[in-house]
Amino acid sequence: MSQLTVAKFGGTSVADAQAMGRCAQIVTQNPQTRVVALSASAGVTNLLVALAQGTLSAEERQAHLTRLTHIQDAILDALGRPAAICGEIQTILAEVAQLAEQAVQETDAALVDRLVAQGELMSTRLFTELLVQQGHTAVWFDVRRVMRTDSLFGKATPAIEALRTLSQQELAPLLAEHIVITQGFIGANAEGQTTTLGRGGSDYSAALLAEALNATELEIWTDVPGIYTTDPRLVSSAHPINEISFAEAAEMATFGAKVLHPATLQPALRKGIPVFVGSSKDPAAGGTWVRGQTDSTPLFRAVALRRNQQLLTLQSPSMLGASGFLAEVFSILAKHRISVDLITTSEVSVSLTLDHTGSQSSGKSMLSDAVLAELGALCKVRVEEDLALVALIGNRMSEVNGAGSRVFNTLDDVNIRLICYGASPHNLCFLVREADAVSVVQRLHQQLLD
């Protein structure tokens, strides 16, 4: 197809039948929208994750299963409870119950992925039925047929070339005659086992499919009308941004903005696919376009906040004038699949923050006893918590005289624990105490963005 839009709808956008109806209107009003990727209905994934842990009592498991059933039944009631789709949902719910029982005996990452994936399988079945009842040529498609990944359950890495080949073979032929409804978040390894891309991975799934199918646009529909200058729950004067560059949006996503998954923009950037972010609750409100280049390039575009940060400081006199120390540190972290965010060094120490994204980390520390023991054999280790990362996003920030002073003069009474500035012209990042974080964001927004 010469023009192809891939649309993704998040959990709140498909929370119930009414919400699904709004999504259906958005999809069908754009004839170029031929691929739709859905998250699980709001609340479903959390229920499934809890069941997958295997720690609930029998009564608690039954309560979770009952809640899951009620969410699906409410949508089925609105659809008139057609026998075929009711049977499909009942089969999935029965599998959920079976896997939840199995998790009580023994759970592992593969079982967790298989269980939590059921949410997307249900929401997409229901949404396909809704479109069919409206007279549209919609077809349900199991994304696991094309979304090939490795076997790192909980945070699987897609195989880009395999995805492209399989999408062209299995998915592309359907687009001329059908609206294809498929799942975000999930995939399958070479053995056919279900995997997940991590919490928030539905955005990434949609972007990967857009890339694989040579789409001309990617739409991300959520519950807010675009990307804001900061979280409006923290700053009442925060306002939506009409247009933002890929580089700026990627920085915002990486450093805490919740609208986009941090990895979402990578496939779109590779292919230069414009990304639209809008609200499925109010599509007329407009949204934010993310493009390779924008007409405006302000020094300060937005401020992002990421809470619950850990600061790991490693100190060793052997660093002084020596080579190889950092290589050993990063080798240890790489072995344990720990991703580093920010890093600063001195002559005898290095400080870094850690990335806690992933469906099974739940914000918990990834610094296991094994990691700390290996690092401790190499150097003195100190871990600090109760920190938050604040990031100013903009343009030419490391090139404009006085940019840094405008930021830090605003915060002259705040204890700043770590600063990263200059590696990118699009961000200035620093750590502050968790207790100071909201005040810091509010003050920066007032001085630099209002």
Side-chain angles (χ1 to χ4, degrees), residues 5 25 31 215-216 221 256 291 312 356 363:
T5 297
Q25 188 174 17
T216 49
W221 294 96
R291 306 183 188 276
L312 176 65
H356 292 273

Side-chain angles (χ1 to χ4, degrees), residues 390-393 397 403-404 407-408 419-421 426-430:
V390 178
L392 265 296
I393 311 300
M397 297 176 67
V407 173
F408 295 117
I419 299 171
C420 279
Y421 184 34
H426 298 290
N427 76 59
L428 188 166
C429 305
F430 51 91

Side-chain angles (χ1 to χ4, degrees), residues 118-151:
Q118 305 304 317
E120 278 72 16
L121 297 176
M122 289 190 287
S123 65
T124 49
R125 289 284 190 187
L126 294 166
F127 189 69
T128 304
E129 176 65 21
L130 172 62
L131 288 178
V132 169
Q133 288 189 10
Q134 292 181 352
H136 303 290
T137 55
V139 61
W140 184 85
F141 185 86
D142 190 336
V143 80
R144 293 173 294 186
R145 291 168 55 184
V146 300
M147 188 65 71
R148 192 67 65 243
T149 75
D150 63 11
S151 297

Side-chain angles (χ1 to χ4, degrees), residues 48-56 103-104 107 112 115 360:
L48 293 171
V49 168
L51 289 168
Q53 302 308 311
T55 58
L56 300 177
V104 174
T107 189
V112 172
L115 207 162
Q360 296 171 47

Side-chain angles (χ1 to χ4, degrees), residues 242-289:
N242 293 330
E243 190 178 52
I244 191 171
S245 70
F246 277 121
E248 294 170 297
E251 298 282 4
M252 289 188 68
T254 299
F255 290 115
K258 300 297 186 182
V259 177
L260 292 175
H261 185 272
T264 295
L265 298 177
Q266 294 176 3
L269 179 59
R270 287 194 292 261
K271 281 294 184 69
I273 302 170
V275 180
F276 177 79
V277 182
S279 169
S280 63
K281 295 181 179 180
D282 188 12
T288 302
W289 278 102

Side-chain angles (χ1 to χ4, degrees), residues 175-198:
L175 303 183
E177 302 294 333
H178 299 89
I179 302 172
V180 176
I181 312 303
T182 193
Q183 305 79 36
F185 178 56
I186 69 176
N189 63 14
E191 290 73 39
Q193 293 176 289
T194 299
T195 58
T196 69
L197 308 187

